Amino acid sequence: MTDTLHIVLDDTAMTAAGQGNVLASRLIHRAHAEPGWFLYAPACALVEADRARPGTAEHLASLPGVTVLDLDLAAALAIAQQQTWAAAHSQYAAQPTPDRPDGAVIATTVPHRWHEAPVRVLDLTP
């Protein structure tokens, strides 16, 4: 096991960060300040967060510790049949890849959304 941690922010976590959620703020700080902490913002979730709280997308995209994940063809094909693109893109981003063989953890303020999904969850509910 390594000390590397990959975390995907879902739309609820992004919105919470913009509203001063302490746990979300700590994740953002650690991703910027500590080696081995990686924070991802899937583009579809970023759009949904910005709809819920205008300005969220621009703010998160400007943070040095946050990597925005584009909706490439593989992601689009994987999520096209899902009900919401924000959750689907977050789930897709959390799946294992060559760079993240163990996948990533999804940070959320609505953990029950992920109850039946094959992902690990980090509850940001205060």
Side-chain angles (χ1 to χ4, degrees):
M1 186 164 177
T2 66
D3 291 335
T4 302
L5 186 57
H6 298 275
I7 300 171
V8 173
L9 297 171
D10 76 357
D11 55 308
T12 67
M14 293 180 205
T15 303
Q19 294 173 326
N21 179 294
V22 174
L23 299 173
S25 295
R26 286 181 186 166
L27 285 178
I28 292 167
H29 172 73
R30 285 193 162 184
H32 173 67
E34 294 186 29
W37 281 69
F38 300 93
L39 204 53
Y40 305 98
C44 292
L46 196 58
V47 168
E48 196 61 35
D50 201 69
R51 286 180 181 163
R53 188 170 191 281
T56 299
E58 184 177 4
H59 175 70
L60 282 173
S62 72
L63 296 173
V66 177
T67 301
V68 176
L69 299 176
D70 294 333
L71 182 63
D72 59 12
L73 178 59
L77 294 174
I79 69 174
Q81 298 180 12
Q82 299 291 331
Q83 191 167 17
T84 67
W85 281 46
H89 198 189
S90 297
Q91 181 175 335
Y92 175 80
Q95 300 308 306
T97 66
D99 292 339
R100 299 184 303 273
D102 294 327
V105 177
I106 294 181
T108 184
T109 61
V110 186
H112 66 273
R113 170 196 278 180
W114 302 103
H115 178 67
E116 295 188 24
V119 295
R120 295 173 289 155
V121 173
L122 176 61
D123 186 354
L124 299 183
T125 307

